[in-house]
Amino acid sequence: GGPVYSSPAIGSDGMVYVGSQDKKVYALNGKTGAKIWELATGGPVYSSPAIGSDGTVYVGSTDGKIYGLNGATGSTKWEYVTGNIGRFSPAIGPNGTVYVASRNAKCYALNGRNGIMKWELELATPVFSSPTLSADGTIYLGPTHSGKIYGLDSKTGSKKWGFEARRGDTPLTIGPNGIVYASSLEKKVYAFKVDSPGPAKSPWPMHGQNPQH
């Protein structure tokens, strides 16, 4: 019903989940393409879904909400209003915490079971990419509208460090060697050596689930 900017996510059972500009999230049979269910949201869905260990599908909509959905039926387990999700995808921590950035210049940590907020961090400018979670508990986020890349404490949301880059809108990636890769609109790609040994051991630590996306 509309153009698709959302990257599809594939469940362990082969189900394909994807958002559309027709304001819906779809679940499709990966073998046949048959529609299993669809869920209407209040705005176009650019966000790429993330899938939890229990099959819950987490996805944001431009209606300003992040949804926790039953992957088998499409029923809504919970929804949380952030203000403006934009195109960004959630990341999931080892304990099931869902992390999401918003164009209202905030980053949120939500309980994956019920959507209750654990913490929120207000940043100076909007964020244009998805969080990336490392094995040592650091969240890598950015670049923001002002060009900052942040390292955040996943338990508290406090800032560990910041790096000045130019604005970008692609998610950061962390490899198994503990190097974080970032791109920006200043015609550069960055590689940061960090303390973490690699991505978090969780079902969906970054956009695309793993370093190869």
Side-chain angles (χ1 to χ4, degrees):
V4 176
Y5 289 90
S6 167
S7 297
I10 305 173
S12 58
D13 58 358
M15 191 92 81
V16 176
Y17 304 96
V18 67
S20 170
Q21 281 200 62
D22 65 2
K23 304 181 181 180
K24 294 179 179 178
V25 180
Y26 292 89
L28 309 175
N29 182 303
K31 292 183 178 179
T32 67
K35 183 175 67 177
I36 306 301
W37 55 257
E38 65 180 53
L39 174 81
T41 74
V45 181
Y46 294 93
S47 173
S48 301
I51 306 171
S53 57
D54 62 352
T56 301
V57 176
Y58 303 101
V59 64
S61 171
T62 54
D63 64 3
K65 296 178 181 178
I66 179 171
Y67 293 84
L69 306 175
N70 184 307
T73 66
S75 61
T76 302
K77 292 185 173 183
W78 54 262
E79 55 186 58
Y80 182 85
V81 179
T82 69
N84 190 342
I85 284 288
R87 304 184 181 210
F88 320 123
S89 304
I92 306 171
N95 62 354
T97 300
V98 176
Y99 302 93
V100 65
S102 175
R103 292 188 71 175
N104 66 350
K106 291 183 178 181
C107 181
Y108 299 88
L110 307 175
N111 185 307
R113 293 189 302 275
N114 53 33
I116 294 175
M117 184 182 70
K118 293 185 173 184
W119 55 257
E120 70 176 34
L121 172 67
E122 187 159 357
L123 302 167
T125 55
V127 182
F128 288 90
S129 69
S130 309
T132 295
L133 188 63
S134 70
D136 69 351
T138 302
I139 299 171
Y140 300 101
L141 187 64
T144 65
H145 185 74
S146 63
K148 268 283 184 75
I149 295 173
Y150 291 105
L152 309 176
D153 186 306
S154 61
K155 292 182 179 179
T156 65
S158 60
K159 298 175 187 176
K160 291 185 172 182
W161 54 265
F163 177 83
E164 291 287 349
R166 192 174 174 185
R167 173 185 160 184
D169 57 6
T170 55
L172 306 176
T173 296
I174 182 170
N177 54 1
I179 296 179
V180 173
Y181 302 94
S183 61
S184 80
L185 298 181
E186 62 181 332
K187 305 178 183 179
K188 291 182 179 179
V189 176
Y190 296 95
F192 301 92
K193 185 71 178 77
V194 297
D195 294 333
S196 175
K201 297 185 184 303
S202 72
W204 214 274
M206 67 183 81
H207 175 87
Q209 189 183 28
N210 57 53
Q212 289 74 35
H213 297 341

